[in-house]
PDB file of all heavy atoms in Angstrom:
ATOM      1  N   GLU J  82       6.963 -18.433 -13.702  1.00 80.00           N
ATOM      2  CA  GLU J  82       7.522 -18.229 -12.340  1.00 80.00           C
ATOM      3  C   GLU J  82       8.607 -17.217 -12.394  1.00 80.00           C
ATOM      4  O   GLU J  82       9.452 -17.159 -13.352  1.00 80.00           O
ATOM      5  CB  GLU J  82       8.064 -19.572 -11.889  1.00 80.00           C
ATOM      6  CG  GLU J  82       7.060 -20.621 -11.589  1.00 80.00           C
ATOM      7  CD  GLU J  82       7.674 -21.856 -10.944  1.00 80.00           C
ATOM      8  OE1 GLU J  82       8.848 -21.844 -10.697  1.00 80.00           O
ATOM      9  OE2 GLU J  82       6.896 -22.811 -10.665  1.00 80.00           O
ATOM     10  N   GLY J  83       8.603 -16.334 -11.443  1.00 82.00           N
ATOM     11  CA  GLY J  83       9.603 -15.243 -11.396  1.00 82.00           C
ATOM     12  C   GLY J  83       9.279 -14.226 -10.330  1.00 82.00           C
ATOM     13  O   GLY J  83       8.414 -14.423  -9.487  1.00 82.00           O
ATOM     14  N   SER J  84       9.974 -13.130 -10.395  1.00 87.00           N
ATOM     15  CA  SER J  84       9.865 -12.072  -9.358  1.00 87.00           C
ATOM     16  C   SER J  84       8.975 -10.954  -9.847  1.00 87.00           C
ATOM     17  O   SER J  84       8.958 -10.642 -11.061  1.00 87.00           O
ATOM     18  CB  SER J  84      11.294 -11.553  -8.985  1.00 87.00           C
ATOM     19  OG  SER J  84      12.102 -12.584  -8.640  1.00 87.00           O
ATOM     20  N   THR J  85       8.300 -10.300  -8.941  1.00 92.00           N
ATOM     21  CA  THR J  85       7.573  -9.093  -9.278  1.00 92.00           C
ATOM     22  C   THR J  85       8.451  -7.908  -8.964  1.00 92.00           C
ATOM     23  O   THR J  85       9.100  -7.862  -7.923  1.00 92.00           O
ATOM     24  CB  THR J  85       6.269  -9.016  -8.377  1.00 92.00           C
ATOM     25  OG1 THR J  85       5.415 -10.027  -8.708  1.00 92.00           O
ATOM     26  CG2 THR J  85       5.578  -7.677  -8.573  1.00 92.00           C
ATOM     27  N   GLU J  86       8.508  -6.979  -9.956  1.00 93.00           N
ATOM     28  CA  GLU J  86       9.427  -5.821  -9.810  1.00 93.00           C
ATOM     29  C   GLU J  86       8.662  -4.538  -9.867  1.00 93.00           C
ATOM     30  O   GLU J  86       7.665  -4.480 -10.634  1.00 93.00           O
ATOM     31  CB  GLU J  86      10.442  -5.864 -10.985  1.00 93.00           C
ATOM     32  CG  GLU J  86      11.302  -7.115 -11.052  1.00 93.00           C
ATOM     33  CD  GLU J  86      12.172  -7.140 -12.290  1.00 93.00           C
ATOM     34  OE1 GLU J  86      12.225  -6.097 -13.007  1.00 93.00           O
ATOM     35  OE2 GLU J  86      12.804  -8.212 -12.551  1.00 93.00           O
ATOM     36  N   SER J  87       9.078  -3.558  -9.081  1.00 94.00           N
ATOM     37  CA  SER J  87       8.432  -2.261  -9.154  1.00 94.00           C
ATOM     38  C   SER J  87       9.547  -1.186  -8.951  1.00 94.00           C
ATOM     39  O   SER J  87      10.492  -1.357  -8.240  1.00 94.00           O
ATOM     40  CB  SER J  87       7.401  -2.065  -8.025  1.00 94.00           C
ATOM     41  OG  SER J  87       7.971  -2.178  -6.728  1.00 94.00           O
ATOM     42  N   LEU J  88       9.328  -0.087  -9.710  1.00 95.00           N
ATOM     43  CA  LEU J  88      10.316   1.076  -9.650  1.00 95.00           C
ATOM     44  C   LEU J  88       9.507   2.326  -9.551  1.00 95.00           C
ATOM     45  O   LEU J  88       8.621   2.573 -10.318  1.00 95.00           O
ATOM     46  CB  LEU J  88      11.108   1.085 -10.929  1.00 95.00           C
ATOM     47  CG  LEU J  88      12.108   2.241 -11.137  1.00 95.00           C
ATOM     48  CD1 LEU J  88      13.315   1.918 -10.143  1.00 95.00           C
ATOM     49  CD2 LEU J  88      12.678   2.331 -12.486  1.00 95.00           C
ATOM     50  N   LEU J  89       9.800   3.081  -8.477  1.00 93.00           N
ATOM     51  CA  LEU J  89       9.125   4.362  -8.294  1.00 93.00           C
ATOM     52  C   LEU J  89      10.210   5.451  -8.139  1.00 93.00           C
ATOM     53  O   LEU J  89      11.138   5.288  -7.402  1.00 93.00           O
ATOM     54  CB  LEU J  89       8.288   4.300  -6.972  1.00 93.00           C
ATOM     55  CG  LEU J  89       7.708   5.594  -6.455  1.00 93.00           C
ATOM     56  CD1 LEU J  89       6.610   6.061  -7.408  1.00 93.00           C
ATOM     57  CD2 LEU J  89       7.126   5.424  -5.042  1.00 93.00           C
ATOM     58  N   TYR J  90      10.014   6.566  -8.895  1.00 93.00           N
ATOM     59  CA  TYR J  90      10.947   7.621  -8.687  1.00 93.00           C
ATOM     60  C   TYR J  90      10.323   9.020  -8.946  1.00 93.00           C
ATOM     61  O   TYR J  90       9.295   9.161  -9.530  1.00 93.00           O
ATOM     62  CB  TYR J  90      12.177   7.468  -9.731  1.00 93.00           C
ATOM     63  CG  TYR J  90      11.963   7.783 -11.171  1.00 93.00           C
ATOM     64  CD1 TYR J  90      11.816   9.090 -11.618  1.00 93.00           C
ATOM     65  CD2 TYR J  90      11.837   6.752 -12.103  1.00 93.00           C
ATOM     66  CE1 TYR J  90      11.618   9.403 -12.940  1.00 93.00           C
ATOM     67  CE2 TYR J  90      11.677   7.048 -13.404  1.00 93.00           C
ATOM     68  CZ  TYR J  90      11.589   8.357 -13.829  1.00 93.00           C
ATOM     69  OH  TYR J  90      11.357   8.672 -15.156  1.00 93.00           O
ATOM     70  N   GLY J  91      10.980   9.980  -8.290  1.00 91.00           N
ATOM     71  CA  GLY J  91      10.684  11.340  -8.492  1.00 91.00           C
ATOM     72  C   GLY J  91      11.920  12.132  -8.980  1.00 91.00           C
ATOM     73  O   GLY J  91      13.003  11.836  -8.498  1.00 91.00           O
ATOM     74  N   ALA J  92      11.763  13.038  -9.911  1.00 94.00           N
ATOM     75  CA  ALA J  92      12.879  13.687 -10.521  1.00 94.00           C
ATOM     76  C   ALA J  92      12.581  15.156 -10.774  1.00 94.00           C
ATOM     77  O   ALA J  92      11.423  15.559 -11.056  1.00 94.00           O
ATOM     78  CB  ALA J  92      13.273  13.026 -11.827  1.00 94.00           C
ATOM     79  N   LEU J  93      13.614  15.953 -10.725  1.00 93.00           N
ATOM     80  CA  LEU J  93      13.581  17.386 -11.019  1.00 93.00           C
ATOM     81  C   LEU J  93      14.509  17.678 -12.136  1.00 93.00           C
ATOM     82  O   LEU J  93      15.687  17.310 -12.003  1.00 93.00           O
ATOM     83  CB  LEU J  93      13.896  18.265  -9.757  1.00 93.00           C
ATOM     84  CG  LEU J  93      13.661  19.738  -9.856  1.00 93.00           C
ATOM     85  CD1 LEU J  93      12.166  20.019  -9.974  1.00 93.00           C
ATOM     86  CD2 LEU J  93      14.177  20.464  -8.656  1.00 93.00           C
ATOM     87  N   SER J  94      14.053  18.289 -13.220  1.00 96.00           N
ATOM     88  CA  SER J  94      14.917  18.530 -14.387  1.00 96.00           C
ATOM     89  C   SER J  94      14.846  19.995 -14.819  1.00 96.00           C
ATOM     90  O   SER J  94      13.889  20.663 -14.581  1.00 96.00           O
ATOM     91  CB  SER J  94      14.517  17.630 -15.578  1.00 96.00           C
ATOM     92  OG  SER J  94      14.570  16.277 -15.194  1.00 96.00           O
ATOM     93  N   TYR J  95      15.935  20.427 -15.421  1.00 97.00           N
ATOM     94  CA  TYR J  95      15.992  21.763 -15.976  1.00 97.00           C
ATOM     95  C   TYR J  95      16.170  21.668 -17.490  1.00 97.00           C
ATOM     96  O   TYR J  95      17.000  20.934 -17.971  1.00 97.00           O
ATOM     97  CB  TYR J  95      17.166  22.547 -15.325  1.00 97.00           C
ATOM     98  CG  TYR J  95      17.235  24.004 -15.863  1.00 97.00           C
ATOM     99  CD1 TYR J  95      16.338  24.971 -15.379  1.00 97.00           C
ATOM    100  CD2 TYR J  95      18.210  24.352 -16.777  1.00 97.00           C
ATOM    101  CE1 TYR J  95      16.456  26.261 -15.827  1.00 97.00           C
ATOM    102  CE2 TYR J  95      18.316  25.625 -17.265  1.00 97.00           C
ATOM    103  CZ  TYR J  95      17.432  26.591 -16.787  1.00 97.00           C
ATOM    104  OH  TYR J  95      17.445  27.897 -17.186  1.00 97.00           O
ATOM    105  N   ARG J  96      15.424  22.458 -18.243  1.00 97.00           N
ATOM    106  CA  ARG J  96      15.579  22.496 -19.692  1.00 97.00           C
ATOM    107  C   ARG J  96      16.730  23.405 -20.095  1.00 97.00           C
ATOM    108  O   ARG J  96      16.669  24.635 -19.989  1.00 97.00           O
ATOM    109  CB  ARG J  96      14.251  23.017 -20.290  1.00 97.00           C
ATOM    110  CG  ARG J  96      14.232  23.011 -21.839  1.00 97.00           C
ATOM    111  CD  ARG J  96      12.824  23.169 -22.463  1.00 97.00           C
ATOM    112  NE  ARG J  96      12.077  24.260 -21.820  1.00 97.00           N
ATOM    113  CZ  ARG J  96      10.746  24.363 -21.889  1.00 97.00           C
ATOM    114  NH1 ARG J  96      10.067  23.432 -22.469  1.00 97.00           N
ATOM    115  NH2 ARG J  96      10.167  25.407 -21.290  1.00 97.00           N
ATOM    116  N   VAL J  97      17.782  22.780 -20.557  1.00 97.00           N
ATOM    117  CA  VAL J  97      18.984  23.477 -20.964  1.00 97.00           C
ATOM    118  C   VAL J  97      18.932  23.933 -22.365  1.00 97.00           C
ATOM    119  O   VAL J  97      19.784  24.836 -22.769  1.00 97.00           O
ATOM    120  CB  VAL J  97      20.278  22.625 -20.712  1.00 97.00           C
ATOM    121  CG1 VAL J  97      20.362  22.315 -19.193  1.00 97.00           C
ATOM    122  CG2 VAL J  97      20.186  21.347 -21.507  1.00 97.00           C
ATOM    123  N   LEU J  98      18.072  23.390 -23.183  1.00 96.00           N
ATOM    124  CA  LEU J  98      18.022  23.736 -24.655  1.00 96.00           C
ATOM    125  C   LEU J  98      16.605  23.655 -25.019  1.00 96.00           C
ATOM    126  O   LEU J  98      15.906  22.681 -24.846  1.00 96.00           O
ATOM    127  CB  LEU J  98      18.887  22.812 -25.491  1.00 96.00           C
ATOM    128  CG  LEU J  98      18.820  23.056 -26.983  1.00 96.00           C
ATOM    129  CD1 LEU J  98      19.406  24.384 -27.389  1.00 96.00           C
ATOM    130  CD2 LEU J  98      19.538  21.897 -27.744  1.00 96.00           C
ATOM    131  N   GLN J  99      16.171  24.704 -25.796  1.00 94.00           N
ATOM    132  CA  GLN J  99      14.830  24.738 -26.315  1.00 94.00           C
ATOM    133  C   GLN J  99      14.864  25.360 -27.735  1.00 94.00           C
ATOM    134  O   GLN J  99      15.081  26.558 -27.892  1.00 94.00           O
ATOM    135  CB  GLN J  99      13.812  25.497 -25.446  1.00 94.00           C
ATOM    136  CG  GLN J  99      12.412  25.560 -25.928  1.00 94.00           C
ATOM    137  CD  GLN J  99      11.443  26.265 -24.993  1.00 94.00           C
ATOM    138  OE1 GLN J  99      11.900  27.158 -24.280  1.00 94.00           O
ATOM    139  NE2 GLN J  99      10.116  25.879 -25.068  1.00 94.00           N
ATOM    140  N   GLU J 100      14.707  24.531 -28.660  1.00 93.00           N
ATOM    141  CA  GLU J 100      14.557  24.930 -29.985  1.00 93.00           C
ATOM    142  C   GLU J 100      13.148  24.735 -30.530  1.00 93.00           C
ATOM    143  O   GLU J 100      12.271  24.347 -29.783  1.00 93.00           O
ATOM    144  CB  GLU J 100      15.539  24.100 -30.912  1.00 93.00           C
ATOM    145  CG  GLU J 100      16.996  24.218 -30.519  1.00 93.00           C
ATOM    146  CD  GLU J 100      17.627  25.542 -30.785  1.00 93.00           C
ATOM    147  OE1 GLU J 100      16.952  26.363 -31.591  1.00 93.00           O
ATOM    148  OE2 GLU J 100      18.624  25.881 -30.265  1.00 93.00           O
ATOM    149  N   ALA J 101      12.949  25.073 -31.831  1.00 88.00           N
ATOM    150  CA  ALA J 101      11.584  25.047 -32.339  1.00 88.00           C
ATOM    151  C   ALA J 101      10.974  23.666 -32.224  1.00 88.00           C
ATOM    152  O   ALA J 101       9.739  23.526 -31.936  1.00 88.00           O
ATOM    153  CB  ALA J 101      11.595  25.469 -33.844  1.00 88.00           C
ATOM    154  N   ASP J 102      11.754  22.580 -32.416  1.00 93.00           N
ATOM    155  CA  ASP J 102      11.190  21.201 -32.377  1.00 93.00           C
ATOM    156  C   ASP J 102      12.029  20.302 -31.398  1.00 93.00           C
ATOM    157  O   ASP J 102      11.837  19.095 -31.449  1.00 93.00           O
ATOM    158  CB  ASP J 102      11.175  20.609 -33.764  1.00 93.00           C
ATOM    159  CG  ASP J 102      12.577  20.689 -34.468  1.00 93.00           C
ATOM    160  OD1 ASP J 102      13.517  21.133 -33.828  1.00 93.00           O
ATOM    161  OD2 ASP J 102      12.617  20.231 -35.637  1.00 93.00           O
ATOM    162  N   LEU J 103      12.906  20.856 -30.622  1.00 96.00           N
ATOM    163  CA  LEU J 103      13.734  19.974 -29.732  1.00 96.00           C
ATOM    164  C   LEU J 103      13.918  20.639 -28.366  1.00 96.00           C
ATOM    165  O   LEU J 103      14.177  21.810 -28.264  1.00 96.00           O
ATOM    166  CB  LEU J 103      15.116  19.842 -30.378  1.00 96.00           C
ATOM    167  CG  LEU J 103      16.146  19.099 -29.611  1.00 96.00           C
ATOM    168  CD1 LEU J 103      15.713  17.650 -29.448  1.00 96.00           C
ATOM    169  CD2 LEU J 103      17.547  19.204 -30.269  1.00 96.00           C
TER     170      LEU J 103
END
Side-chain angles (χ1 to χ4, degrees):
E82 293 186 359
S84 304
T85 297
E86 304 173 6
S87 64
L88 179 72
L89 172 67
Y90 75 74
L93 189 67
S94 301
Y95 182 76
R96 182 163 51 199
V97 295
L98 176 65
Q99 183 177 26
E100 299 292 345
D102 54 2
L103 176 67

